[in-house]
Amino acid sequence: RRSYWISGTIRIMRKEYLTKIIVDTARKQEIDCIVDFQMAMAKESEGLDLDKGTVKEGVSKVIEYIYLGHYYLAYDSENPECGPIGCMMVTREWSDWTNSEYYWLQSVYVKPEYRRWGVFTQMVQWLENNVKYKDVKSLRLYVDKGNEAAKKCYKKLGLKPCHYSMYEKALK
């Protein structure tokens, strides 16, 4: 057994997840937390310093207009009062080819002290369990080409590089 020193507590590694999580849909009162997560994620993964006001407007729109997507937050089930420990946004894409939806996982972030504890894995499993009776063909995401840690995590979850490449044309 291996021990980890995290946030002043010792946890013993077991076969089950080190932290069992609760997943909940984000609400208006959690906007600032999501903004902080997104600011940290942009800095860590791409070295970007985003404009906090712009990010707050963007997050607020998703919370207000559910057709844009949904934010889901993860909480440590043993300490939910400590606030969110991770988040992801899910957006939907319709395919006329398959007559089904594809769910895009975006804005994925887990607090550093909870990484490698199965938080994101449990969030994805929660999502899979909640969509298994819907016409969702697959889960998709995009990742920065240089983010090897994220790629390794996604592969462990069964996500694989697909045959599509992404292109972009900036309009503003």
Side-chain angles (χ1 to χ4, degrees):
R1 299 187 323 176
R2 298 183 312 191
S3 298
Y4 292 89
W5 180 258
I6 305 290
S7 300
T9 60
I10 295 178
R11 302 207 180 211
I12 304 299
M13 185 181 223
R14 297 181 210 105
K15 288 186 179 179
E16 69 267 12
Y17 297 115
L18 288 170
T19 297
K20 300 244 188 246
I21 66 162
I22 299 166
V23 176
D24 198 8
T25 303
R27 293 175 288 279
K28 286 183 181 181
Q29 61 265 31
E30 289 138 346
I31 288 173
D32 288 334
C33 175
I34 297 169
V35 169
D36 290 343
F37 284 173
Q38 297 316 302
M39 300 289 292
M41 189 250 313
K43 185 69 172 175
E44 290 174 27
S45 65
E46 299 182 40
L48 297 175
D49 291 311
L50 301 177
D51 178 73
K52 193 167 187 167
T54 302
V55 174
K56 187 168 185 169
E57 286 179 34
V59 170
S60 297
K61 282 184 181 173
V62 172
I63 300 287
E64 185 174 351
Y65 302 110
I66 61 170
Y67 65 87
L68 293 175
H70 297 276
Y71 280 104
Y72 297 102
L73 298 174
Y75 295 84
D76 183 334
S77 64
E78 294 176 12
N79 300 300
E81 66 282 351
C82 291
I85 61 172
C87 76
M88 72 177 170
M89 180 174 67
V90 177
T91 58
R92 299 167 19 190
E93 172 190 350
W94 179 255
S95 171
D96 53 354
W97 287 14
T98 63
N99 189 34
S100 59
E101 288 185 300
Y102 294 84
Y103 277 19
W104 284 85
L105 308 181
Q106 298 177 242
S107 303
V108 173
Y109 185 79
V110 175
K111 283 183 169 182
E113 62 269 27
Y114 284 92
R115 293 181 188 161
R116 297 188 180 170
W117 285 36
V119 173
F120 182 61
T121 298
Q122 291 176 81
M123 291 183 79
V124 171
Q125 289 171 344
W126 174 87
L127 182 63
E128 288 174 355
N129 288 334
N130 282 283
V131 302
K132 64 181 164 186
Y133 299 110
K134 297 180 182 180
D135 286 328
V136 178
K137 184 81 169 168
S138 68
L139 301 178
R140 291 179 170 175
L141 55 78
Y142 54 86
V143 61
D144 186 84
K145 291 176 183 177
N147 194 340
E148 296 302 323
K151 289 179 189 178
K152 185 176 177 182
C153 172
Y154 301 149
K155 285 180 183 176
K156 283 183 181 178
L157 288 170
L159 294 155
K160 300 172 186 156
C162 62
H163 65 278
Y164 293 107
S165 293
M166 181 175 270
Y167 288 79
E168 178 179 49
K169 180 179 182 180
L171 300 175
K172 289 186 181 183

